[in-house]
Amino acid sequence: MKPYLPKTRLQYLFLICFSTIVITNSVVLIQPMKRIYTYKKVVTHQIIGHQFAGLEEYTKKEPIIGYYSDTDLQDKKQGKLLAHAQYILAPTILDVGNLDHKYILFVCEDERHVWQKMKELNAMPYLRNEFGMILAERK
Amino acid sequence: MYLNHFISLVLGFLTLTIIYKDRPSLKPALTLLLSWGVGLGISVYLTFLSFILFKTFHPEKIYLFHGILFLGLFLGAFPTYKRHFKRIPHILFETINQRLFDALTWIFWTILLCLTYMVTEGHTFGEWDAWGMWNLKTKFLLLSAQPFEDIFHNLHWHTHPDYPLFLPFLNTWVYGLSSTDLHPIPLYTAIIFTLACGILLYLGLLQFIPKIPAFIAGALLATNPFFGYQATAQYADVQIGFYLLAGFILMVDSLSTKKPQSFFLFGIILGFMTFIKNEGILMMLFLTGLTLLSFGKEVFQHKRVLLWFFLALGLTFIPTLYFKTFLAPPNDDILPNFAWSNLRHYRFMNLQIFFTSTFQELTHKKWCWIWIFSLSALLLNLPKLIFEEKCRGLFLFFVIYFFAIAAIYTTNTNISISWWLESSLARIIFSLLPSLLFLIFYSYWHKPKNLNHL
């Protein structure tokens, strides 16, 4: 007995359809592979939060710091930036909007807002990286 | 990293040996894969326990708990091994299998492993929820000197602090004493589970139906490009897909054999599901209810098997209960403010948006037509799905779950339904795909008195 042979027409139809899909899938898989291969010629690996790289060396001893942005965090791009910042700087917690912390990370589009806010808070810049991210320390 | 997977596999295997003793109803290869799944769940719970007791990451304590449990399980399983020591080489031989078709099958899975790895090269850090939530929490667990409860109170609400922590604790356990960078751990976890879903579908169906259709089912799932992409996004959806599929397999096995051992293992898997995502709690409730319904009027005649089922479920549900009671804040997404006044202002437009989005998602070309063919296959086999006992339970799960999801989406007033559907619907139906394929292939090929699993 060969139990794997379909016994009804429905089973035959079923097996043919799904086998076709498997073959189609295998062929379609080539496209994302090509895309990934092309992508890797330009960027060796996915990069996230590069704007905050290096800052974690200065914040790692702080359990929690403030996070200030002059943009709307409901915006997808800004929300993504916050998520990236939190991931890179983890386990330091970014307390969004709460500036009652010794250190505050300013992520602003206009640097003038940063300086204005620092003046209000009596904070001094502690570190500024090449992407314009400023880590300030309150006195 | 692989050592910790092996430790979990051993723990799981010992557990299944104690459960089944001399009367295994599952085939060896399936037993091995389920052992790994059960073992990982146990390891996650032991890791969770160490964090509850010691608040921060203490790998030596986690290994100590594993060592103590291993000793206990080994002593419990030893009598079985002593009785069947001479059979172990035969069991291993049967598992490896030297027939040509099986050899080709394993070559196929090996090639797929390489392809899955290549897919992950496109997003080695995963997608948004990976670095925004799951891997972020793993980082906190591993690196923070503060108590781990800070995750639930101080992180931004985008990190969903109410979500259970199966995946972060799993990655924490796998990291173990590793001195390598954290980055590869969740990546390899995702790859392993992606492949495991396909293999589990194949082996699970093999328990009940012939080889070729079982293989086509596994291949259908594992070669789907969007399944591969979503599974390697480093989210918890692939884990819940895996354990839901395991639950389906064990539900069918339990209802077929009516053995307390099968029900016990089924209960364990359902308990683990509740700690993966909030949807797992819903899935557990529905599957439990459907299992009880399948007994019909004979439910009181099977008190003994149901006792074992609820015992196992109760044991593995305790961590989720503890988590939800003492650690996690309330969930704002699922039926918040369920007040009569809100229901009076229910917008039926939300229902229209939900059904339209679901239709668009299921017919989207990224799925390579798998949903169209799958749902068509279901419709063609509807009489069997409704009138046959085991198929009916599994089919009703999808119907009830679909309406539950519709209710949750359409009654939420906190966030825009369009945004929520766009960001989560694909993942929800993705996690159902392995189990749906199991139901379809099982309903088409199994015979009511199938002797394959004996």
Side-chain angles (χ1 to χ4, degrees), chain B residues 247-259:
Chain B
F248 267 44
I249 294 165
L250 290 167
M251 183 172 170
V252 171
D253 184 60
S254 306
L255 294 175
S256 302
T257 61
K258 298 281 197 298
K259 285 183 181 174

Side-chain angles (χ1 to χ4, degrees), chain A residues 11 18 21 40 46 87 91, chain B residues 121 124-125 139-140 220 444:
Chain A
Q11 284 182 343
F18 279 104
I21 296 175
K40 283 181 74 66
Q46 182 190 21
Y87 179 76
Chain B
E121 289 280 292
T124 53
F125 279 95
K139 262 190 114 172
F140 272 94
L220 190 62
Y444 269 85

Side-chain angles (χ1 to χ4, degrees), chain B residues 18 47-48 89 97 102 114 142 166 190 193 205 277 299-300 309 313 324 350-351 366 438 443-444:
Chain B
I18 292 171
T47 309
F48 182 34
N97 237 321
D102 298 307
C114 301
L142 284 171
F166 187 95
F193 267 94
L205 281 168
K277 289 188 81 177
V299 65
F300 293 109
F309 170 71
L313 177 58
K324 288 291 184 186
N350 281 357
L351 206 58
K366 71 188 178 196
F438 175 83
S443 66
Y444 269 85

Side-chain angles (χ1 to χ4, degrees), chain B residues 12 73 258 299 383 428 439:
Chain B
L73 290 174
K258 298 281 197 298
V299 65
I428 285 176
L439 170 62

